[in-house]
Amino acid sequence: ATIAGAHVVLQILDLFQIAALGQVGQDGLAGLHGGHAGILAAVQNHGLVLGGAAAGIHVQAIYPVIVTQDVAITLVNIADPLAVISEEYINNAGNAIIAYCNSLSVGDIFIVSQLERAVGNAIDDANIDITTVTPSANVTPTSTEVMRHGTITINGVVWNG
């Protein structure tokens, strides 16, 4: 397939990750919106290299919009609900929240249950119940946004690591 006159947008995230976004049209590979492998394959097959392009190809680097999401969770020891949660567990939870948010790519949905699973794995104690207060539901960014953590609150106290 030829892609003469096509418009390809590559979204540069960092030195190691490229997510493709855009459209290939006019006798090309229409309908590949979000098809990372397909667009990158089309680009590779037609001699496009960052810094140079085959005739008729327009390359545009777009940096993602960073959207911060405040996160508030509660940790409760279900065996002893009045017990104070250890600083180790709080730090493990805070670091897990940061790691989860940093694992999200452009357009990835912030999924509350995945966040709770990450925190639970970091704490690794079946007696600790994790409840997400904020966000109260999954958060869906646009296709050009990437989610990162804002203020992290654990058991009502802002966590600063």
Side-chain angles (χ1 to χ4, degrees):
T2 62
I3 57 172
H7 180 88
V8 177
V9 177
L10 294 178
Q11 190 162 26
I12 308 300
L13 300 179
D14 58 38
L15 294 175
F16 305 106
Q17 183 179 24
I18 297 177
L21 160 61
Q23 58 195 60
V24 180
Q26 258 188 342
D27 301 308
L29 305 169
L32 280 180
H33 259 315
H36 302 157
I39 290 179
L40 289 176
V43 166
Q44 289 172 343
N45 288 338
H46 294 292
L48 176 66
V49 179
L50 290 178
I57 303 287
H58 172 72
V59 177
Q60 180 180 3
I62 300 174
Y63 294 93
V65 175
I66 296 176
V67 177
T68 58
Q69 174 61 56
D70 292 343
V71 177
I73 64 169
T74 59
L75 304 175
V76 175
N77 185 328
I78 55 177
D80 183 3
L82 299 178
V84 175
I85 301 298
S86 74
E87 186 175 334
E88 176 187 1
Y89 283 6
I90 289 172
N91 287 332
N92 288 352
N95 288 320
I97 292 167
I98 291 172
Y100 172 75
C101 291
N102 288 343
S103 75
L104 298 173
S105 295
V106 174
D108 281 355
I109 299 170
F110 183 109
I111 301 175
V112 172
S113 63
Q114 288 180 355
L115 172 73
E116 290 175 350
R117 187 175 315 117
V119 171
N121 289 340
I123 292 173
D124 195 26
D125 184 336
N127 286 324
I128 301 298
D129 182 51
I130 302 154
T131 303
T132 302
V133 178
T134 304
S136 59
N138 296 342
V139 180
T140 304
T142 68
S143 62
T144 61
E145 294 176 333
V146 62
M147 305 290 299
R148 292 295 179 252
H149 71 87
T151 302
I152 297 172
T153 305
I154 301 172
N155 289 356
V157 177
V158 173
W159 181 80
N160 292 310

